[in-house]
Amino acid sequence: MADPAVPALSSPFSFANISTQAGILSKRRDIFFAVGIICILITLILPLPPFLLDFSLSVSITLSVIILMTVLFVEKPLHLSSFPTILLIVTMLRLSLNIASVRLILSRGHEGTAAAGHVIQAFGGFVMGGQVVIGAIIFGILTIINFVVITKGSGRIAEVSARFSLDAMPGKQMAIDADLSAGLINEEVAKSRRKELEDESNFFGAMDGASKFVRGDAIAGLLITFINFVAGIIIGVVQNGMTFNAALHTYTTLTIGDGLVSQIPALIVSTAAGILVTKSGVAGSAEKAVLSQLSRNPTALGITSGFLFVMSALPGIPMLPFLILSGATGYACWYLFKHPDALQPAAPGKPGAPKQLTGPAGSVPPGEAGKSEEQPGDFLQIDALRLELGYGLLPLINYQKGHRLTEQIKALRKQMARELGFVIPAVRIQDNMQLPPNTYVIKVKEIESGRGDIRPDMLLVMNPAGAKITLPGEETVEPTFGLPAMWIAEHQREEALFRNYTVVDPPTVITTHLTEMVKDNMAELLSYAETQKLLDDLGKTQQKLVSETIPAQISVGGVQRVLQNLLREMVSVRDLSTILEAIAEASRSTQNIVTITEHVRGRLARQLSHANTTEGGYIPIVALSPAWEQTFVEAISGTGEEKTLSMAPSRIQEFIATTRATFDKFAAQGELPVLLTSPAIRPYVRSIVERFRASTIVLSQNEIYPKARIKTLGQI
């Protein structure tokens, strides 16, 4: 005989099968969620029997209490970012139940106060206490509280929160970018903060619109109550032959009961909405967001279970629906405490797991751990580069009509690294409320190096031909080079381009100015630490050269000064191995930094010649005449490392005037020649030329590559 225990284990009613079925149902939550939404829509059309309406109204009250409890326990609004979706669903549920109750009241109200179910009868009778006038007054007061106080206040708070959230977004994003530029946080933390900021903005924007659901629900409740009362009495007296007093008592009880069953959940949800918006996106389908977030705090289900148990014990309230729901929510609370991950999304790495978009709440970004307040030593730190913006320029951080300011600065750093072989320090961007709204200031080592005024909603136009700009706009001066320009409206862009004008957007104006300031101060930005980093980043094959040269022949500070001399004349130090070889060669015979620099420049002749070769394939040069060569040689006094230029001021002024006239003449012809001198006097000639024509390149004869083509344009 078979063991009787065996069939029991395989029975469809065994605990193992029940657990299996529960697991299958939990995996198909999306289907049941969709079926629930469809049932709400069907209720708008098909009539409900009284017992089913009782249960549905109990579900509506239960959902509203769960929502309120969840909002009370939620830590951040983004932890319940699906609230606008929840609000729409519960609003549609209440409206569908309103329609179902109206259908029963108007069609079966003459049968008595239980015609629309016992829940409506109990609410109407409990509130009225047999007095029609008292019941109507109490219902009116509750409606006024919901419509005038809570609903209106929640809607206003949501509107203001959305407006202030959007207004504060540029400043918050600028703070994130500034922390990233300063190295206080890494790129991953910055992305997480930007995502959270974007979600918060989206959430409050959605809540601004969702608050209209609450207001519309309150208005609909008032209209439905009026229809119930007036139409019910008319139908009862005219069609069903009831006396006016009987119809008044019956339909008033049903109307007030129906209104209370609808308005109380609406008032609870309105309160929850107000709490949530005073304290932001949804990833995945709606059912995942709703079920996982509502089940995040099992304590809310436990309190709801106790509330429903007390409701079932009230006189006149049908006990069975509330006891069933109380037991269900109590079991759900216990189950979630035992299995906290039951309804939560799958862990990262498992099938169906959503990507983690934000870091854990309360996490401290790298570099900020342990910083509870600013210490006195923090004020000693100096920003190598700082860009201060007036509050009117903050929208440029998230410029929507072109590249953002932060993106252009990042591209600038990459460009400088490619062209000059040196990564400029991070640019700290911060707002300065003391500046005029449309003013920006560029500071190098916290000393102002340049400033300008721009119009964030306009475009800067310049005429390359130098003629007057004929477009309507605001005349101004381009802040970087001091050229005449004009601010025009955005819609005039095509017209300006058609006239061959140069059109520049506001972020590009700032970036161009910043680029020139960086070039002017490049030597100062190369610190001792940056020099050491450049040496450390050399390949393994070059480390032997580094170890033999430093510090045996020259110190890191000496290498820094040589590199600064090169960068001061915009000579790329990207070929650091060749530069180091030249330093090693020159430092064997001299420690004069100027002499070492000139030797390095000679070794970089191929690079210098290529950099100054025009599109025609030649180097345009203006040679220094033998007379001036002799003048400079005779003006050099001292020996060794103490050589200086001692030239009479009148001769210096004569040299400046002659050089300026010569180069201005060639510039008018479209030529940008270099000044060619002998190696011995090149540094001294350059020291004079850079004071009145900083952009003019001065090369020595040793720096012209033998295979380079040259074109002599003239002589000074």
Side-chain angles (χ1 to χ4, degrees):
M1 181 180 294
D3 190 348
V6 174
L9 291 175
S10 60
S11 169
F13 300 102
S14 66
F15 288 105
N17 283 341
I18 292 175
S19 177
T20 302
Q21 295 296 327
I24 295 174
L25 293 178
S26 65
K27 293 180 180 179
R28 306 305 302 175
R29 290 178 295 165
D30 52 348
I31 295 179
F32 288 99
F33 190 84
V35 170
I37 299 298
I38 292 176
C39 290
I40 293 176
L41 299 178
I42 291 177
T43 306
L44 296 171
I45 304 173
L46 300 180
L48 290 181
F51 74 91
L52 189 56
L53 180 61
D54 283 346
F55 188 82
S56 300
L57 292 174
S58 303
V59 170
S60 176
I61 296 174
T62 302
L63 285 177
S64 63
V65 176
I66 290 177
I67 292 171
L68 179 60
M69 293 296 104
T70 303
V71 169
L72 289 176
F73 284 100
V74 77
E75 295 181 1
K76 297 175 62 177
L78 285 181
H79 289 176
L80 196 58
S81 56
S82 60
F83 190 80
T85 304
I86 298 173
L87 198 59
L88 174 59
I89 294 173
V90 296
T91 301
M92 284 301 301
L93 175 62
R94 285 198 303 273
L95 292 177
S96 64
L97 294 179
N98 269 336
I99 293 176
S101 62
V102 168
R103 185 182 289 112
L104 286 176
I105 291 173
L106 296 183
S107 61
R108 300 175 55 179
H110 62 282
E111 298 177 4
T113 55
H118 295 288
V119 173
I120 292 178
Q121 181 187 27
F123 269 86
F126 181 75
V127 173
M128 289 176 59
Q131 299 292 329
V132 175
V133 177
I134 295 176
I137 292 174
I138 294 176
F139 170 73
I141 292 174
L142 290 176
T143 303
I144 291 173
I145 291 174
N146 185 25
F147 181 71
V148 177
V149 181
I150 299 180
T151 301
K152 187 174 181 179
S154 299
R156 179 59 178 168
I157 292 174
E159 179 183 354
V160 173
S161 299
R163 182 181 305 170
F164 278 92
S165 176
L166 292 175
D167 290 344
M169 193 172 181
K172 292 180 179 179
Q173 290 208 353
M174 189 185 68
I176 295 173
D177 294 333
D179 288 346
L180 178 61
S181 300
L184 299 178
I185 59 176
N186 55 29
E187 187 68 29
E188 183 178 352
V189 175
K191 288 181 180 179
S192 174
R193 288 189 179 181
R194 292 192 191 101
K195 176 61 179 174
E196 184 175 358
L197 183 60
E198 179 183 355
D199 291 344
E200 182 180 299
S201 177
N202 292 337
F203 170 74
F204 284 112
M207 281 300 301
D208 184 21
S211 63
K212 304 302 185 293
F213 295 152
V214 180
R215 182 178 180 85
D217 184 25
I219 296 175
L222 289 174
L223 295 177
I224 291 173
T225 301
F226 179 76
I227 292 173
N228 269 347
F229 180 72
V230 176
I233 294 178
I234 294 175
I235 292 175
V237 174
V238 176
Q239 292 186 1
N240 299 318
M242 299 175 65
T243 64
F244 179 79
N245 289 335
L248 179 64
H249 178 271
T250 300
Y251 285 102
T252 301
T253 302
L254 291 174
T255 298
I256 293 177
D258 179 40
L260 289 175
V261 173
S262 174
Q263 288 299 317
I264 288 178
L267 187 145
I268 294 174
V269 174
S270 299
T271 304
I275 294 174
L276 188 63
V277 297
T278 52
K279 290 200 162 163
S280 272
V282 181
S285 60
E287 56 89 17
K288 290 181 180 178
V290 173
L291 295 180
S292 63
Q293 292 183 4
L294 282 180
S295 63
R296 182 169 292 165
N297 295 294
T299 307
L301 293 175
I303 296 177
T304 304
S305 176
F307 172 79
L308 295 175
F309 181 79
V310 174
M311 286 288 294
S312 66
L314 293 177
I317 296 292
M319 181 177 296
L320 185 60
F322 288 94
L323 280 179
I324 293 175
L325 292 171
S326 176
T329 52
Y331 173 77
C333 174
W334 172 83
Y335 183 80
L336 289 175
F337 270 119
K338 293 293 185 180
H339 308 86
D341 298 329
L343 295 179
Q344 301 303 319
K350 297 182 180 181
K355 295 181 179 179
Q356 187 173 355
L357 299 178
T358 59
S363 61
V364 181
E368 294 184 359
K371 286 190 178 181
S372 58
E373 60 180 11
E374 290 185 309
Q375 301 298 325
D378 297 338
F379 297 99
L380 300 179
Q381 302 296 326
I382 293 179
D383 296 326
L385 287 173
R386 181 189 295 175
L387 175 61
E388 298 181 355
L389 303 176
Y391 69 85
L393 303 183
L394 296 183
L396 298 182
I397 302 296
N398 295 310
Y399 192 63
Q400 302 296 324
K401 302 173 184 177
H403 294 293
R404 296 188 304 174
L405 180 59
T406 52
E407 294 176 350
Q408 294 200 19
I409 293 177
K410 186 183 297 184
L412 167 63
R413 298 183 69 203
K414 293 180 180 179
Q415 177 186 351
M416 288 294 182
R418 285 192 298 265
E419 292 182 357
L420 298 176
F422 164 53
V423 180
I424 64 174
V427 181
R428 179 184 290 274
I429 306 175
Q430 68 179 36
D431 59 336
N432 187 344
M433 301 303 293
Q434 296 180 352
L435 292 176
N438 295 333
T439 299
Y440 68 89
V441 172
I442 300 172
K443 292 185 176 181
V444 177
K445 294 188 176 181
E446 300 195 356
I447 297 176
E448 182 176 329
S449 298
R451 70 164 55 204
D453 293 308
I454 61 177
R455 304 295 178 262
D457 297 326
M458 304 179 76
L459 298 173
L460 187 69
V461 171
M462 293 169 286
N463 190 344
K468 183 178 178 61
I469 300 174
T470 57
L471 289 175
E474 177 184 344
E475 292 186 358
T476 185
V477 175
E478 193 274 332
T480 306
F481 304 103
L483 302 175
M486 179 173 290
W487 290 106
I488 64 171
E490 178 70 28
H491 64 83
Q492 296 175 292
R493 178 195 293 265
E494 297 298 330
E495 177 65 21
L497 294 175
F498 178 76
R499 300 188 184 187
N500 295 323
Y501 293 160
T502 301
V503 181
V504 185
D505 58 18
T508 305
V509 175
I510 297 178
T511 307
T512 302
H513 200 174
L514 178 63
T515 302
E516 294 304 315
M517 292 299 100
V518 168
K519 290 180 179 179
D520 290 344
N521 299 275
M522 183 66 73
E524 294 185 32
L525 296 176
L526 180 65
S527 63
Y528 183 96
E530 292 292 341
T531 304
Q532 185 64 62
K533 185 176 184 303
L534 289 176
L535 296 173
D536 294 339
D537 289 343
L538 279 174
K540 292 183 179 180
T541 58
Q542 304 296 330
Q543 290 303 318
K544 180 66 173 176
L545 173 63
V546 175
S547 61
E548 290 182 354
T549 307
I550 303 171
Q553 296 178 231
I554 192 171
S555 64
V556 175
V559 175
Q560 176 192 0
R561 291 177 60 191
V562 172
L563 297 181
Q564 286 177 331
N565 288 341
L566 295 174
L567 291 173
R568 191 171 286 111
E569 298 187 48
M570 301 306 296
V571 177
S572 174
V573 298
R574 190 173 181 182
D575 190 4
L576 188 57
S577 58
T578 300
I579 294 173
L580 205 57
E581 291 174 6
I583 292 176
E585 294 171 356
S587 60
R588 294 190 184 101
S589 58
T590 180
Q591 292 297 310
N592 189 308
I593 298 300
V594 175
T595 304
I596 295 175
T597 302
E598 292 305 305
H599 182 75
V600 171
R601 289 177 62 92
R603 285 289 303 271
L604 296 176
R606 186 168 178 269
Q607 172 186 315
L608 293 173
S609 297
H610 175 75
N612 292 283
T613 300
T614 64
E615 295 181 357
Y618 60 87
I619 304 175
I621 65 172
V622 172
L624 195 62
S625 66
W628 277 112
E629 288 271 357
Q630 185 64 31
T631 300
F632 273 94
V633 170
E634 294 174 353
I636 297 176
S637 61
T639 59
E641 298 183 4
E642 298 180 357
K643 288 184 178 180
T644 58
L645 182 66
S646 301
M647 184 181 293
S650 59
R651 293 291 286 168
I652 293 177
Q653 292 299 324
E654 181 183 352
F655 175 75
I656 291 175
T658 304
T659 304
R660 179 183 284 121
T662 303
F663 276 85
D664 287 347
K665 179 183 68 173
F666 290 118
Q669 298 173 4
E671 295 282 0
L672 295 175
V674 301
L675 180 59
L676 187 65
T677 70
S678 61
I681 66 171
R682 194 208 71 85
Y684 308 102
V685 175
R686 170 63 188 174
S687 65
I688 296 177
V689 171
E690 69 178 350
R691 298 180 183 277
F692 65 95
R693 287 188 67 91
S695 60
T696 299
I697 306 298
V698 180
L699 297 180
S700 70
Q701 296 160 358
N702 290 347
E703 296 165 11
I704 301 296
Y705 191 59
K707 295 183 179 180
R709 295 172 54 199
I710 62 174
K711 180 180 180 180
T712 304
L713 301 180
Q715 189 179 67
I716 295 178

